[in-house]
Amino acid sequence: MKSHRAELTFTIPTRRAFVRITDRVRDAVRDSGVREGLVLVNAMHITASVFINDNETGLHADIEAWLEKLAPEKPWAQYRHNETGEDNADAHLKRTVMGREVTIAITNGDLDLGPWEEVFYGEFDGRRKKRVLIKIIGE
């Protein structure tokens, strides 16, 4: 069995953003030489997410608006976490809803995704360096 590890780094200039990373995950799978196996892609920060969905800007705006209704950024005083001097309690909650990671099958050396599926990095507390782990195992 082969094992391969790669990292992506991001410094998103805004507080929130969705970044399509499908091609970068595909490149890591190609570099690994794994033809049949699994790839785990996970955000290594508690205010960021990795998820799979459609690459459509209207949907992304809908997701962001929905998350903001569930966990509004302001007023900051509504969150006990922010009493520590932080201002990112909403980002922790948004990450909890969107999830930490995805696992994708590798078939014939490529990501085995559905017809509209793309992999995204979700940033909820940007403006600083963050990492995404890509871990590949298989044959």
Side-chain angles (χ1 to χ4, degrees):
M1 178 176 305
K2 295 179 185 177
S3 175
H4 181 78
R5 183 183 191 282
E7 279 189 18
L8 306 178
T9 58
F10 298 92
T11 303
I12 303 297
T14 57
R15 183 170 173 99
R16 290 185 296 275
F18 299 139
V19 179
R20 182 182 170 277
I21 61 172
T22 310
D23 293 337
R24 294 175 73 181
V25 175
R26 237 184 210 115
D27 290 344
V29 169
R30 197 170 305 120
D31 292 346
S32 76
V34 169
R35 305 279 307 147
E36 300 292 326
L38 297 170
V39 57
L40 169 76
V41 186
N42 75 271
M44 298 176 74
H45 296 270
I46 55 178
T47 57
S49 178
V50 173
F51 64 96
I52 294 176
N53 215 311
D54 192 353
N55 188 22
E56 195 275 312
T57 57
L59 176 62
H60 296 182
D62 292 342
I63 292 169
E64 186 170 351
W66 175 71
L67 288 171
E68 193 60 22
K69 286 179 187 173
L70 289 176
E73 178 186 349
K74 294 178 182 173
W76 290 326
Q78 70 184 309
Y79 299 110
R80 292 187 64 191
H81 172 69
N82 290 346
E83 292 172 7
T84 66
E86 298 280 347
D87 67 357
N88 65 357
D90 69 298
H92 290 275
L93 297 173
K94 289 169 177 142
R95 183 273 177 89
T96 298
V97 170
M98 294 300 291
R100 173 182 188 259
E101 64 198 19
V102 297
T103 304
I104 307 164
I106 299 168
T107 304
N108 294 323
D110 197 9
L111 301 176
D112 207 342
L113 293 168
W116 299 105
E117 290 185 325
E118 300 283 348
V119 185
F120 292 91
Y121 169 74
E123 176 61 74
F124 307 114
D125 186 27
R127 301 177 296 240
R128 58 194 166 103
K129 186 177 176 182
K130 294 190 182 172
R131 300 175 297 148
V132 168
L133 170 69
I134 302 173
K135 184 70 174 185
I136 301 161
I137 56 171
E139 296 295 329

